[in-house]
Amino acid sequence: LLLTVLRTGELIVYFIPLFIAYPAVWFGKRNLDRGGESAGALWWYKLLRIQMSRAGPTFVKLSQWAASRTDLFNMQLCLELGKLHDSNQVHSPQKSQRAIAKAFGVDSIEQIFESFDDRPLGAGAVAQVHRGRISDAFIERQLAVATDFGSKRALEKLKANPEVAVKVLHPRVERKIRRDLRIMEWGARALSLLPGIKWLSLPEEVAVFGNMMMSQVDLRTEARNAERFAANFSGRAGVAFPRVYLPLDSKDVLVETFCDGIPLRAFLDIDGHTPFDRELGARGLDAFLHMLIYDNFVHADLHPGNIMVSLSPPFVGSPLDRFVEDFYDMSPFNRGRGMHEKQLPSSAQVHRHVRSILDSHEAGEISTHQKNKEIHAYADLLYQSGFTASLVFLDCGLVTLLDDFNRRNFIDLFESVCTFDGNRAGNLMIDRCLTPELVVSPDVFVLRIQDIILRVRKVSLQLSKLTFSEIFEPVMRAVRIHHVRLAPDFINIIMAMFILEGIGRRLDPESDVLRAALPMLRSWLKEDAKNELTYPQHARGSTSPSTASWNLLKVWMYIELREYLDRVRSWGYDDQEFFGEFSPFLTADSSLA
């Protein structure tokens, strides 16, 4: 209790300046490019971010969580808090070594690792990651005592590839987080007594945040999530997740495959586009839609820091392929390439070279212009040589699953937006929010949503020209104004779409969420229809199709129609496809115009 009181005093010192400075939000020139916020408000948001970073890991995570809740907080405030990265406090390598030895029940990590890098690869608010190489002797000892087939198979894979990443919790981090959550609960109950705050349901939101934090201090949760993601994507090329070694995992230590790659930020922060950008954008969007539509198991922390790019050389092929390449010069792997197959660098060499360019820029050895020039030139050379790009998703500790109720809500709302029924969309949001009795002016809220949907309808056949934020931001502004409190999981899905769409648009400005969703919806509805016919009573409890399936079917029909109309519109423009100059939509300079 004494420690909690002392910690409360420390937090008061951090946050009193925020209360004193709060009147500044009403002063200063309005910035139309920043949502019409005053200069004083933007300054106060920055001050809040600074103080939250000083308050420790719990409040860093709280800021990141708040940044995703644009239904509760101002958009510009969320954008500012979104800049707050994990606290980079690093604990000593000796503490990591003691934690690992304790988790594995050995006296020293030399009994486990052939090599272990004391310098962390990265550090977050609750843990840090080291690179190591498991010794063959340790693997053999584990194989000797392994009893089940799954453990033996995992250890055999580890023997084939002993390079691992070891994630270790910071010492006493769980105790510190529990103490901070207790203080936050007291504060939430006190703030709930103020008028106008009740609709936020702060104690319930603190409980949601607390559950999220406690799941992150048990690394076995991340291990289970990573295994499920790996299984879900086992048959899909272009996307990978770290494979965990469950026989070696514990609450405080996570052992997984070491994923070599290039930070996605390297592709996002350069001027122009590399030849790999469109492929990366398509893979990321496809992966998210697969999680959402097919798996209902969504990675809830997909910011650029948790995504890496792996560049792979072309497949060498069989001896016959090499014979054709050497003697007939007909192999698809060397035709028009910038490097000869035998001279191609490995993935590790490519990644190391790109990281050296990034490191030189960070050290001030080369300018930003020079960095961009070198990355563009190297990417062009790799692309011409047949390299392909894939994505690696890291840090699977946070996931979102929609239960049957929220999944139905999401599908119903998605269907209303796709069919441009703004009245139904607005009423659905009110009827199925957490506190419908506290909604302010529900009729006006429905009219606001109708207006937003009508604006979407004007560009319904050109959604690639409409960003998700142009829909999302006014909807969330209306949600805040009218106190429509949405389910946290629902918001997590929307925020994940918002973040990934931003990444996708940066990589490929012509990306289109609905067009990308079309093959996924076809496959999902086909599988769902098969289940309806094969197991009607078992699958649904009745012989009639489910409401969710019918609504998704309507969404699919709309997207199919839009895809068909898009193709018809382009017939006269794309190499005279199908009808050429006799296309029903002729160009202005056509001879029949």
Side-chain angles (χ1 to χ4, degrees):
L1 180 61
L2 177 60
L3 291 175
T4 302
V5 172
L6 291 175
R7 175 62 172 162
T8 303
E10 180 185 1
L11 294 176
I12 289 174
V13 171
Y14 285 130
F15 294 126
I16 276 183
L18 290 170
F19 289 102
I20 295 174
Y22 185 74
V25 301
W26 293 301
F27 299 96
K29 185 179 179 180
R30 297 282 174 179
N31 189 333
L32 297 180
D33 294 333
R34 301 284 299 275
E37 293 286 347
S38 67
L42 296 174
W43 171 81
W44 191 84
Y45 298 157
K46 183 177 180 180
L47 177 64
L48 175 62
R49 173 173 60 82
I50 293 171
Q51 296 302 96
M52 293 292 271
S53 68
R54 291 173 176 170
T58 307
F59 291 89
V60 169
K61 283 292 184 182
L62 176 63
S63 299
Q64 293 173 336
W65 173 82
S68 70
R69 296 307 304 270
T70 50
D71 60 320
L72 301 180
F73 306 111
N74 180 282
M75 177 63 76
Q76 294 303 316
L77 172 60
C78 292
L79 290 175
E80 186 66 40
L81 293 178
K83 299 176 183 177
L84 188 59
H85 300 294
D86 280 347
S87 172
N88 290 324
Q89 296 178 351
V90 177
H91 63 253
S92 69
Q94 291 76 22
K95 291 180 179 178
S96 286
Q97 293 175 16
R98 285 197 294 269
I100 295 169
K102 181 180 178 181
F104 291 156
V106 297
D107 298 326
S108 171
I109 67 166
E110 281 76 14
Q111 299 174 250
I112 307 169
F113 295 97
E114 181 179 312
S115 63
F116 184 83
D117 191 352
D118 287 339
R119 184 178 60 182
L121 293 172
V126 299
Q128 65 188 43
V129 181
H130 296 267
R131 183 177 181 176
R133 183 181 180 88
I134 303 289
S135 68
D136 289 340
F138 178 77
I139 297 175
E140 292 295 342
R141 291 197 299 271
Q142 294 293 315
L143 280 170
V145 298
T147 56
D148 61 287
F149 175 76
S151 296
K152 290 182 177 180
R153 186 181 179 188
L155 290 167
E156 289 290 349
K157 289 182 178 179
L158 180 59
K159 188 175 182 179
N161 183 21
E163 292 285 337
V164 295
V166 186
K167 191 171 188 177
V168 185
L169 287 183
H170 292 313
R172 299 183 297 280
V173 67
E174 182 176 354
R175 190 183 310 167
K176 295 175 183 176
I177 289 174
R178 288 187 184 277
R179 187 181 301 133
D180 285 345
L181 289 174
R182 195 177 304 121
I183 296 170
M184 289 167 58
E185 184 180 355
W186 295 345
R189 292 185 183 279
L191 288 173
S192 295
L193 300 177
L194 298 176
I197 300 292
K198 183 178 179 181
W199 79 276
L200 291 174
S201 302
L202 290 179
E204 289 84 354
E205 294 296 341
V206 168
V208 171
F209 172 72
N211 291 334
M212 181 200 76
M213 286 298 297
M214 296 314 298
S215 70
Q216 289 206 301
V217 297
D218 186 347
L219 296 181
R220 292 171 297 189
T221 301
E222 181 174 345
R224 290 192 295 269
N225 293 343
E227 278 295 285
R228 181 166 173 180
F229 277 124
N232 290 345
F233 283 84
S234 60
R236 300 183 67 85
V239 176
F241 290 84
R243 296 304 301 257
V244 299
Y245 299 109
L246 295 177
L248 306 182
D249 290 330
S250 70
K251 184 174 182 295
D252 299 323
V253 177
L254 173 68
V255 180
E256 57 189 8
T257 51
F258 175 75
C259 296
D260 190 28
I262 305 164
L264 180 63
R265 184 65 65 187
F267 292 84
L268 300 177
D269 289 347
I270 63 175
D271 297 330
H273 296 279
T274 74
F276 297 106
D277 284 6
R278 185 178 292 258
E279 180 182 9
L280 290 172
R283 290 194 189 284
L285 188 56
D286 180 78
F288 174 77
L289 292 171
H290 187 275
M291 297 178 200
L292 176 64
I293 295 174
Y294 216 80
D295 301 330
N296 189 26
F297 193 73
V298 181
H299 194 306
D301 199 16
L302 281 181
H303 58 78
N306 281 341
I307 306 176
M308 299 188 73
V309 177
S310 178
L311 298 175
S312 305
F315 178 60
V316 175
S318 66
L320 179 60
D321 293 326
R322 292 194 291 273
F323 175 82
V324 172
E325 177 181 347
D326 290 338
F327 292 97
Y328 294 97
D329 196 28
M330 295 175 59
S331 169
F333 299 124
N334 72 356
R335 187 169 53 204
R337 303 302 186 190
M339 303 176 183
H340 191 273
E341 173 68 31
K342 295 176 182 177
Q343 300 172 338
L344 291 179
S346 66
S347 293
Q349 291 172 322
V350 169
H351 300 157
R352 191 158 50 244
H353 180 73
V354 175
R355 287 197 299 266
S356 69
I357 298 174
L358 299 176
D359 292 341
S360 297
H361 176 256
E362 288 186 7
E365 298 172 4
I366 60 174
S367 65
T368 300
H369 174 73
Q370 183 65 24
K371 178 205 72 169
N372 294 342
K373 183 179 178 181
E374 290 187 20
I375 290 180
H376 274 295
Y378 195 56
D380 289 342
L381 184 61
L382 294 173
Y383 186 77
Q384 292 169 10
S385 302
F387 276 72
T388 56
S390 58
L391 295 174
V392 181
F393 294 144
L394 307 175
D395 198 357
C396 304
L398 293 179
V399 298
T400 296
L401 297 86
L402 294 178
D403 58 26
D404 291 340
F405 178 74
N406 284 327
R407 186 170 171 81
R408 191 185 76 231
N409 289 348
F410 184 84
I411 292 171
D412 288 349
L413 184 59
F414 190 37
E415 183 252 334
S416 298
V417 172
C418 287
T419 55
F420 310 116
D421 191 344
N423 181 71
R424 181 168 180 262
N427 282 308
L428 279 173
M429 293 176 73
I430 293 174
D431 294 341
R432 299 178 184 179
C433 73
L434 298 180
T435 52
E437 71 281 359
L438 298 178
V439 174
V440 176
S441 304
D443 293 339
V444 178
F445 174 78
V446 172
L447 290 175
R448 286 178 183 267
I449 299 300
Q450 277 184 298
D451 182 61
I452 295 168
I453 299 299
L454 286 174
R455 276 182 277 160
V456 173
R457 185 172 189 173
K458 291 179 182 179
V459 290
S460 61
L461 294 180
Q462 294 177 308
L463 283 183
S464 61
K465 302 187 185 304
L466 184 70
T467 65
F468 188 70
S469 61
E470 289 174 335
I471 306 173
F472 175 73
E473 187 170 347
V475 168
M476 291 300 104
R477 188 183 305 119
V479 163
R480 289 193 305 273
I481 291 172
H482 295 275
H483 297 182
V484 181
R485 183 168 170 258
L486 302 177
D489 288 344
F490 192 88
I491 295 298
N492 287 341
I493 293 290
I494 293 177
M495 277 306 300
M497 291 180 69
F498 178 69
I499 293 170
L500 272 181
E501 194 236 16
I503 294 173
R505 294 282 178 152
R506 173 63 185 86
L507 295 170
D508 179 12
E510 297 301 318
S511 63
D512 188 331
V513 175
L514 289 185
R515 179 168 291 162
L518 183 55
M520 205 80 64
L521 283 173
R522 286 171 179 163
S523 176
W524 190 89
L525 286 166
K526 179 180 177 182
E527 191 69 26
D528 190 66
K530 186 189 298 183
N531 291 337
E532 289 280 1
L533 293 173
T534 309
Y535 308 108
Q537 296 290 342
H538 177 71
R540 302 295 181 194
S542 67
T543 55
S544 61
S546 67
T547 303
S549 297
W550 169 239
N551 287 337
L552 261 183
L553 180 63
K554 287 190 286 184
V555 173
W556 168 68
M557 291 169 62
Y558 161 73
I559 299 175
E560 290 279 13
L561 176 62
R562 200 199 68 142
E563 177 77 2
Y564 170 75
L565 292 177
D566 273 355
R567 289 184 178 274
V568 170
R569 290 171 64 249
S570 67
W571 277 348
Y573 299 94
D574 296 339
D575 299 325
Q576 296 186 336
E577 182 182 8
F578 297 108
F579 292 106
E581 62 179 344
F582 299 106
S583 167
F585 292 87
L586 298 174
T587 57
D589 58 350
S590 170
S591 59
L592 298 180

